[in-house]
Amino acid sequence: MALVVQSQPPISVQALVQNGLEEVPSRFLQRSLDSRVSAPFEESLPIIDHGKLLRNDPSELAKLGAACAEWGFFQVVNHDIPISLLERVRKAARQFFHLSHEEKLEFAIKPGSCEGYGRHFLASDVLDWVDLLYHQLLPISTRNLSSWPTKPESYRTVLHEYSNEVHGLAKCLLGKISETLGLESDFLEKKFGECIYQTIRVNHYPPCPQPDRVMGLSPHSDPGGITILLQDDVEGLQVRKNGKWVQVQADPEAFVVNLADQIEIITNGLYKSVEHRAVVKTESKERISLAMFHSPLPDTLVSPAANFVNPRQPSRYTSMTFGQYRSSFLNKELRGKNHVKSMLVEKEQD
Ligand SMILES: O=C(O)CCC(=O)C(=O)O
Ligand SMILES: [Fe+2]
């Protein structure tokens, strides 16, 4: 399926801001914004201690199972990825977005592709207040390496290192999530195909003169398997829980992990992907987030696994390769859980 390609050259929010913008252009103005008031403080994401998971602590595994079932979102602390690496990867990302517009255009998304610098979801009427850089990390090949920026000079080295570390964390979490389902630890990973397909979206939300009138990233669930997100110290991420938007605290040393659509499909809806969005909260500060998506390989056919299907609970989702799923996801506007819901055999009433 051909991708809706970005306008050439891509619209850059940062370039608008640098040109001394006082009012948000109408293409970015939200028609209505539902309440951004976060839930009471006690409604914060579950915090999972990775060290305890590694030591096979049964109560931490139970906590992970509850986090998957009740939230689909959790923060991971006490991981063994060096904090200095997190700082270096954020720095490389920031330096990329601080290049001149012309320099960034050298890495712009090319027609028919979704990898590079620019914007996704052009099918949306209202554009999000974000510029992005998206590319494949694993499996690595000379072809996909060509879409990784070469500026700043450190970008590729730091991203290689970061990709390996986060891949290790993803493997471990997929194993532990499989265990929470009472299955062998390699269950989910095996469903992804020969290896984990890892891509990254680096989101850059420039400061906005009217933060209340825009959306950083519209509500959506992620198309892949699990997402491991690194934030900086500026808040913005919100998660939808029981119809309310819960603000996620910015913790630059922790990861925010969420279950995405392919886990919902494989588990036949037992675990669900969760809607989330990024709001823009300040007129003065930029925000950077790095979302690492761990998904089935594009040619893997994904469908509910036999373990979750029985005569009383028939298969609820149609099957599709992950590549087809992602292309149609990128061609649609970003709107809640629409895409995974369109895969339901029996459509839900809204
Ligand atoms: O910026 C964030 O906190 C959220 C990013 C996100 O949801 C995504 O890239 O899919
Ligand atoms: Fe997301």
Side-chain angles (χ1 to χ4, degrees):
M1 179 187 295
L3 285 173
V4 176
V5 289
Q6 65 184 358
S7 53
Q8 295 292 331
I11 302 156
S12 154
V13 178
Q14 198 182 10
L16 291 173
V17 172
Q18 280 167 346
N19 288 339
L21 182 88
E22 279 173 18
E23 280 193 3
V24 170
S26 59
R27 290 196 68 182
F28 293 90
L29 281 182
Q30 292 286 317
R31 311 243 154 79
S32 69
L33 282 175
D34 50 357
S35 163
R36 291 179 173 195
V37 180
S38 55
F41 188 58
E42 57 273 20
E43 274 275 51
S44 55
L45 291 196
I47 296 180
I48 300 296
D49 183 324
H50 187 245
K52 287 189 182 167
L53 278 184
L54 285 182
R55 289 195 300 277
N56 293 323
D57 180 324
S59 69
E60 206 59 19
L61 192 69
K63 207 168 151 192
L64 176 67
C68 289
E70 289 160 29
W71 281 84
F73 250 91
F74 48 92
Q75 282 197 308
V76 174
V77 298
N78 198 16
H79 52 78
D80 40 21
I81 304 187
I83 302 302
S84 59
L85 177 58
L86 309 186
E87 280 158 9
R88 280 190 291 133
V89 75
R90 271 191 295 260
K91 183 172 173 194
R94 197 170 299 114
Q95 284 176 335
F96 173 79
F97 284 101
H98 289 182
L99 295 173
S100 70
H101 188 51
E102 289 65 36
E103 280 175 301
K104 280 182 294 207
L105 287 184
E106 287 174 37
F107 310 104
I109 299 175
K110 299 207 172 53
S113 167
C114 55
E115 294 192 30
Y117 162 72
R119 128 177 332 272
H120 287 162
F121 314 111
L122 282 171
S124 305
D125 285 351
V126 179
L127 298 182
D128 287 336
W129 192 261
V130 66
D131 296 325
L132 65 86
L133 173 64
Y134 178 81
H135 59 89
Q136 179 174 335
L137 292 164
L138 295 172
I140 188 83
S141 71
T142 326
R143 192 203 59 77
N144 71 53
L145 195 57
S146 67
S147 61
W148 296 35
T150 48
K151 290 179 193 168
E153 233 172 81
S154 60
Y155 187 88
R156 289 188 175 191
T157 330
V158 176
L159 262 287
H160 270 304
E161 204 183 322
Y162 185 63
S163 151
N164 282 331
E165 292 282 352
V166 179
H167 175 254
L169 179 61
K171 258 175 104 70
C172 174
L173 289 173
L174 282 171
K176 295 294 174 188
I177 294 170
S178 302
E179 288 177 31
T180 66
L181 292 162
L183 298 165
E184 293 295 319
S185 53
D186 59 358
F187 173 81
L188 284 171
E189 201 180 329
K190 276 194 180 154
K191 294 282 168 213
F192 282 21
E194 259 160 51
C195 62
I196 296 175
Y197 176 61
Q198 187 191 51
T199 55
I200 188 166
R201 181 161 61 217
V202 188
N203 301 297
H204 181 236
Y205 307 95
C208 179
Q210 296 168 288
D212 295 342
R213 306 289 307 276
V214 300
M215 185 59 76
L217 200 56
S218 297
H220 65 282
S221 58
D222 293 337
I226 59 167
T227 305
I228 301 187
L229 180 92
L230 179 66
Q231 311 184 73
D232 60 14
D233 57 359
V234 180
E235 274 187 355
L237 177 62
Q238 297 184 338
V239 175
R240 197 172 169 97
K241 180 150 192 283
N242 302 332
K244 283 189 302 187
W245 288 107
V246 176
Q247 182 72 49
V248 177
Q249 282 174 281
D251 182 347
E253 297 191 356
F255 290 104
V256 178
V257 177
N258 67 275
L259 304 185
D261 295 345
Q262 304 311 303
I263 298 286
E264 174 166 334
I265 296 171
I266 293 168
T267 64
N268 203 21
L270 185 63
Y271 281 170
K272 297 219 165 29
S273 63
V274 176
E275 207 175 322
H276 54 285
R277 67 182 186 180
V279 300
V280 182
K281 295 185 102 180
T282 82
E283 289 168 39
S284 59
K285 274 188 154 180
E286 65 179 359
R287 175 169 183 264
I288 296 249
S289 72
L290 295 97
M292 296 277 255
F293 305 112
H294 300 85
S295 314
L297 285 169
D299 60 5
T300 307
L301 192 66
V302 184
S303 55
N307 315 55
F308 303 99
V309 176
N310 59 52
R312 274 183 295 116
Q313 181 62 282
S315 189
R316 298 180 59 206
Y317 301 82
T318 49
S319 54
M320 207 186 243
T321 67
F322 177 64
Q324 289 166 326
Y325 188 93
R326 187 181 57 159
S327 292
S328 57
F329 175 85
L330 288 170
N331 272 310
K332 287 191 188 145
E333 67 175 324
L334 205 51
R335 187 130 68 88
K337 290 195 56 175
N338 271 12
H339 198 45
V340 70
K341 284 188 181 164
S342 74
M343 301 290 291
L344 282 167
V345 177
E346 279 181 40
K347 304 282 180 265
E348 282 176 1
Q349 302 296 321
D350 275 338

